[in-house]
Amino acid sequence: MYKYLNSKPLPKAPFQPIEDEIKPPKKQEKVTLIGSGNWGTACAKIVAENCAKNPEFFEREVRIWVFEEIVEGQKLTEIMNTRHENVKYLPGHKLPDNLVADPDIVSAVKDATLLIFNFPHQFVAQTLEDIQGKVAKGARAITLVKGVNFIEKKHVLVSEMISQELGIEVCSLMGANVANEVAQGQFCETTIGYKNLQTGLVLWKLFNTPNFHVRIVNDVKGVEICGALKNIVALGAGFCDGVKSFGGNTKAAIMRVGLMEMKLFAQTFYSSVQTETFFESCGVGDIITTCYGGRNRRCAEVYVRTRKSWQQIEEEQLNGQKLQGVGTSIEVYEILKNANLLYRFPLFHTIYLIVQGELEPDEIVRYDEIC
């Protein structure tokens, strides 16, 4: 038997860059991050450190647009630029001194050749309107934004919105990345979806570190959809955690069915999405992490135990961050309803009904019966 197995050709491994083979650009890339929440700031830490280490690729100074707030009687940008710490969204983590916080988004994106979008998806349209016509010619972008938007009753991915509004190439990054763990330097993986290989290689150089392991795949939409839909599944996991009669077996079932519905949704609406993408960090990896340690899971558990409104839970639990899963659940429900496809997504439909208060959380295990 072993002889037979050893004689079979091995499947082709996914392409991964070799650092020594990545050629520096003709001109240094200028990097700007748009968004400075928990995850945005953790990414900024990685990016700024990599820019300082790779002067042949990137300018040393990295700008980050910060929505200005008063914290401890002082402007948040001033705190970040003097104490080098985002005391509100990522307290206790020292930021590189080459990271410059800017409260003016137009100033922050000026002359930038690489834009990193990382903020709640409900603010995408306004943000793009603010910087339209202000972005450097030939700039490229990568979205870390999780969610789906509606334009004229049609669902549009964030990468599509950025590309359409700014006229630039857009990649995506999603993965099993809890912000605080990333900021602490704990090892993890992430996935970058690219369309143009050379852009994918530059972004790999920008994000990859010994402890933040980047894999790149030629599937921008697949990577992005995984990041959006996993928050719905995380709500289901949180409902399981909140119901005392459910255990690990129940949660595992929700996670498995959730991953299958993520795949079905992605490949139903975007035929180019690759099955292999769901086995990357952005797929199964992020499902595991989010369903055990993410904010959507935690807030769903709180909902079961307190029955407070989602708005109240968000305000009490997230320190100014946004709860993405609830909004995404509603948006995905509308997409499936308009396409007459709710019957093919019983778990997503059931989670939506629980979110809306139309079903009890313990009814999540009856998804095949209810929908």
Side-chain angles (χ1 to χ4, degrees):
M1 180 178 74
Y2 293 110
K3 183 178 179 181
Y4 169 74
L5 290 175
N6 291 336
S7 68
K8 295 180 68 176
L10 293 172
K12 186 178 179 181
F15 170 78
Q16 287 301 299
I18 299 173
E19 187 164 4
D20 293 342
E21 296 181 357
I22 303 176
K23 297 180 180 179
K26 294 180 181 179
K27 184 180 178 182
Q28 287 176 309
E29 303 277 7
K30 182 177 177 61
V31 181
T32 290
L33 296 103
I34 304 173
S36 57
N38 182 241
W39 178 219
T41 306
C43 285
K45 184 175 185 291
I46 291 173
V47 166
E49 289 173 351
N50 274 350
C51 286
K53 292 175 183 176
N54 296 283
E56 71 276 25
F57 282 85
F58 310 107
E59 290 188 12
R60 186 176 189 279
E61 181 182 279
V62 174
R63 291 198 167 258
I64 180 169
W65 173 66
V66 177
F67 180 78
E68 193 70 279
E69 300 177 69
I70 302 300
V71 182
E72 301 174 0
Q74 190 177 359
K75 292 180 179 179
L76 182 56
T77 53
E78 293 177 356
I79 296 173
M80 290 176 67
N81 289 332
T82 55
R83 291 162 52 181
H84 303 292
E85 180 185 355
N86 188 333
V87 295
K88 179 167 184 180
Y89 296 111
L90 197 69
H93 296 283
K94 196 75 171 177
L95 301 175
D97 61 8
N98 62 316
L99 181 67
V100 178
D102 192 334
D104 184 341
I105 192 169
V106 174
S107 168
V109 304
K110 188 178 188 305
D111 299 324
T113 59
L114 288 176
L115 301 171
I116 302 169
F117 289 84
N118 197 350
F119 50 83
H121 77 283
Q122 54 264 47
F123 303 126
V124 171
Q126 184 59 57
T127 302
L128 293 176
E129 183 178 330
D130 291 342
I131 62 175
Q132 194 170 37
K134 313 296 183 183
V135 174
K137 184 178 180 181
R140 293 164 290 176
I142 183 166
T143 174
L144 285 67
V145 179
K146 298 172 177 67
V148 183
N149 281 282
F150 278 91
I151 299 177
E152 296 178 354
K153 297 184 179 181
K154 295 181 180 179
H155 63 278
V156 184
L157 298 179
V158 174
S159 62
E160 295 174 321
M161 293 180 68
I162 297 171
S163 179
Q164 291 168 7
E165 295 300 316
L166 303 183
I168 61 178
E169 178 188 350
V170 187
C171 298
S172 57
L173 182 152
M174 306 286 164
N177 310 134
V178 175
N180 288 330
E181 294 180 11
V182 171
Q184 290 167 10
Q186 296 183 22
F187 179 84
C188 67
E189 294 183 313
T190 200
T191 312
I192 288 179
Y194 68 87
K195 184 176 182 181
N196 180 289
L197 176 58
Q198 293 306 311
T199 302
L201 292 173
V202 170
L203 291 170
W204 182 89
K205 189 75 175 179
L206 182 63
F207 283 94
N208 190 70
T209 76
N211 289 328
F212 192 70
H213 186 208
V214 177
R215 288 172 58 85
I216 64 174
V217 297
N218 185 12
D219 190 1
V220 176
K221 293 177 180 178
V223 171
E224 183 178 358
I225 292 170
C226 282
L229 300 187
K230 57 98 177 190
N231 284 328
I232 302 176
V233 185
L235 292 177
F239 295 146
C240 288
D241 289 340
V243 177
K244 293 182 180 180
S245 60
F246 293 160
N249 293 340
T250 309
K251 185 190 266 191
I254 296 302
M255 292 165 64
R256 186 198 69 80
V257 176
L259 182 61
M260 294 299 293
E261 291 196 8
M262 285 169 54
K263 176 176 174 291
L264 179 60
F265 181 96
Q267 295 182 332
T268 296
F269 292 100
Y270 297 94
S271 60
S272 65
V273 171
Q274 303 167 19
T275 296
E276 292 79 2
T277 299
F278 296 89
F279 295 96
E280 295 291 339
S281 180
C282 63
V284 65
D286 204 5
I287 280 285
I288 294 169
T289 291
T290 306
C291 289
Y292 279 92
R295 72 180 73 153
N296 290 274
R297 185 221 62 83
R298 172 160 52 93
C299 289
E301 182 179 4
V302 171
Y303 172 80
V304 176
R305 294 178 176 174
T306 67
R307 295 311 173 90
K308 294 179 179 179
S309 70
W310 292 110
Q311 182 179 351
Q312 187 175 356
I313 291 171
E314 181 181 81
E315 291 171 353
E316 293 177 356
Q317 296 289 324
L318 300 185
N319 189 37
Q321 297 287 95
K322 295 298 180 182
L323 181 60
Q324 298 288 356
V326 170
T328 304
S329 174
I330 295 169
E331 290 157 351
V332 167
Y333 169 80
E334 292 296 334
I335 293 169
L336 296 175
K337 181 181 177 182
N338 291 339
N340 295 316
L341 289 174
L342 281 172
Y343 70 98
R344 298 191 66 191
F345 296 84
L347 181 62
F348 282 0
H349 189 182
T350 300
I351 291 172
Y352 164 81
L353 293 173
I354 297 172
V355 164
Q356 295 293 92
E358 297 179 33
L359 285 179
E360 291 297 309
D362 61 1
E363 293 183 274
I364 190 169
V365 296
R366 295 178 52 215
Y367 50 87
D368 274 328
E369 305 170 30
I370 294 169
C371 302

